[in-house]
Amino acid sequence: MSDPKHSPSANPRQGGSVLDPEWEAALRRGQEAEGEAGSVDAELAFVHLLRHTREPEALAPDQLDAIWSQIGAGLEAEVEAGGSPWWRKAWVWWSAPALAAAAVLVVIVIDPGERAETTIAQQDHSSEAKAEAKAEESSPAAEPIAEGAPADAEARERIATAEPSIGSGRSGGGSKSPFEASFVKLAPHGRMAIRVSVDQSRAQLRSQLLASARGGGR
Amino acid sequence: MNPKKLPPLSAVGQLLTGMILGAVLTAGGFALAGKLKPPGDPEVLVALAQAVDATDKQVELRLGRGDIAGAIETLERLRTEPWPNRARGGDAAIQLRHDAYGRLVRLRLDHPQIDAKTPKQLLEIAEEGLGREWELLDANPFTAHLLALRGEVLETLGRDDEALLVYEQALDMNRDLLDAVLRGGGR
């Protein structure tokens, strides 16, 4: 790296202090004149540090601004590259409750409506089946129940006792009906309301009993 | 950004949804609780509530064992008990009746082969459960449910216009109820 021959102390032509800027200029000139390769940058950096320690060098305002702008650009790039996690961002905390409320509304309000469309389709299908069953039932040319047709016999028996479509389609899948879905979701509110009313009545009875007991004791 | 630190998106969503839903349900339940007409005879309501509660437990047990016929029979027994009117039992008594009849009609609709009833008989059961005072009640899930079941029975009878009307009433009641629950008693 550095050659001892290039040290100012080894050069008889340069007798100044190493902290003198002229010393560095003389060193550069000597290095060029001798045409030798090599670098003394590391040593010069140390010399700069010593010089700065002795007499701090003031930066010009534009130089200072340039340095800060470089630092700022570096910081911004780093923040963009590996910024805070998404769940720490402010917009998440503001928008998440609204999104959750919307999800609840979708589950309670919109979803049963979609199921209603489905069940209306099922209902149509059920109505058609019912119409067919009725047509078969009312047909005067109804075939006698064959011994080898138990399913047909069973179907006729069901028609005779109860409408098959009651248990099928909308009714058969009771939990699939939009009304059933709403009922399942809303029933807890109703039960709580009834429970409160019953508890109030029970408390009223208790106070009546206590009052009558006090009245009897007097 | 370390991916290990990321909480699962579904977990965050479930947590938030659960918190909001829980708050809404709690507020809604309390909102509805204060709207019932009190009973004229508190003793009647307390006795009825105990009877219905015991019946519900029996029905649950029987259904748990797959004994549909037993569950229907239990509810039919409760049906034969005297039911207080609104003046004596308050709104809660009427709603308890609608709840019990709703369970019965639902079971009968879902299992028509058990102790079979004709649609006309089912309609009588539903109308008997509804009574004449249901229109005086505030929106509640039990009346809406029984109304919808009555609509189903009317539909099977081919009385589609009446069924549509009843479904509309049930929907209106459901809307009002949902509105009351979501408002948390704001009205």
Side-chain angles (χ1 to χ4, degrees):
Chain A
M1 292 277 287
S2 63
D3 191 344
K5 287 193 294 184
H6 296 143
S7 67
S9 57
N11 192 341
R13 291 174 295 179
Q14 302 295 331
S17 168
V18 296
L19 299 181
D20 186 355
E22 182 56 29
W23 178 85
E24 182 183 341
L27 178 65
R28 295 274 188 202
R29 282 195 301 273
Q31 191 180 16
E32 284 178 10
E34 292 177 5
E36 294 184 9
S39 173
V40 292
D41 288 342
E43 287 80 0
L44 283 176
F46 189 70
V47 170
H48 289 172
L49 178 63
L50 289 174
R51 193 186 300 155
H52 182 75
T53 307
R54 184 181 180 195
E55 185 180 357
E57 296 173 1
L59 283 174
D62 53 345
Q63 287 178 317
L64 199 58
D65 289 342
I67 291 172
W68 277 120
S69 63
Q70 284 177 1
I71 292 172
L75 282 174
E76 282 178 7
E78 191 172 344
V79 167
E80 284 177 6
S84 60
W86 61 268
W87 72 85
R88 288 188 182 171
K89 293 187 185 303
W91 63 267
V92 171
W93 292 99
W94 285 108
S95 58
L99 287 174
V104 170
L105 285 177
V106 165
V107 169
I108 294 179
V109 181
I110 298 175
D111 194 36
E114 290 174 354
R115 289 183 195 172
E117 291 175 7
T118 309
T119 24
I120 285 169
Q122 289 175 349
Q123 173 197 353
D124 291 340
H125 180 70
S126 170
S127 301
E128 290 173 9
K130 187 170 64 179
E132 288 175 7
K134 281 183 178 172
E136 287 178 9
E137 183 185 24
S138 59
S139 170
E143 296 174 5
I145 299 172
E147 290 179 4
D152 191 25
E154 187 183 347
R156 287 170 191 278
E157 187 182 347
R158 287 181 68 189
I159 290 168
T161 53
E163 288 286 339
S165 58
I166 298 172
S168 62
R170 178 197 308 255
S171 312
S175 58
K176 292 177 185 172
S177 159
F179 289 111
E180 291 295 331
S182 300
F183 177 66
V184 167
K185 289 184 177 101
L186 294 171
H189 299 292
R191 293 193 202 290
M192 182 183 283
I194 291 175
R195 199 177 305 132
V196 169
S197 184
V198 171
D199 285 346
Q200 286 171 349
S201 298
R202 196 174 281 122
Q204 195 177 341
L205 283 177
R206 193 179 298 119
S207 59
Q208 283 176 3
L209 277 173
L210 285 172
S212 63
R214 283 186 196 123
R218 284 174 192 169
Chain B
M1 189 161 54
N2 187 358
K4 288 182 181 177
K5 291 181 180 176
L6 273 174
L9 185 61
S10 59
V12 175
Q14 284 173 358
L15 179 66
L16 288 170
T17 307
M19 287 169 63
I20 291 175
L21 189 60
V24 168
L25 287 179
T26 306
F30 282 116
L32 294 179
K35 295 174 70 177
L36 297 185
K37 178 184 183 290
D41 190 348
E43 197 171 354
V44 168
L45 176 60
V46 172
L48 177 66
Q50 286 169 349
V52 171
D53 191 41
T55 302
D56 278 347
K57 283 174 181 162
Q58 282 182 323
V59 169
E60 288 300 325
L61 275 174
R62 290 183 193 281
L63 289 178
R65 292 177 187 164
D67 182 10
I68 308 292
I72 290 176
E73 187 188 340
T74 305
L75 286 167
E76 283 287 357
R77 261 204 315 273
L78 179 66
R79 183 186 157 205
T80 60
E81 297 291 326
W83 293 88
N85 60 17
R86 188 167 178 251
R88 291 193 71 194
D91 286 352
I94 306 298
Q95 290 188 20
L96 282 170
R97 189 179 77 215
H98 290 173
D99 188 20
Y101 272 76
R103 294 192 81 176
L104 176 61
V105 176
R106 179 76 270 161
L107 278 175
R108 285 202 172 282
L109 284 170
D110 287 345
H111 305 280
Q113 73 281 5
I114 296 175
D115 185 22
K117 299 279 183 189
T118 64
K120 194 175 177 184
Q121 288 173 316
L122 286 177
L123 183 63
E124 285 171 5
I125 294 174
E127 288 177 345
E128 177 187 304
L130 274 173
R132 288 174 297 179
E133 299 170 311
W134 69 267
E135 291 183 67
L136 301 175
L137 299 181
D138 280 328
N140 70 88
F142 311 109
T143 308
H145 186 224
L146 191 53
L147 275 173
L149 292 171
R150 180 168 174 252
E152 279 190 42
V153 179
L154 283 169
E155 208 181 335
T156 60
L157 283 167
R159 294 158 65 175
D160 289 348
D161 290 340
E162 290 174 75
L164 280 173
L165 183 66
V166 172
Y167 283 141
E168 193 59 40
Q169 289 170 330
L171 274 175
D172 284 345
M173 195 169 272
N174 262 348
R175 280 193 209 103
D176 290 346
L177 183 59
L178 186 61
D179 190 40
V181 167
L182 290 179
R183 283 186 183 191
R187 60 181 185 177

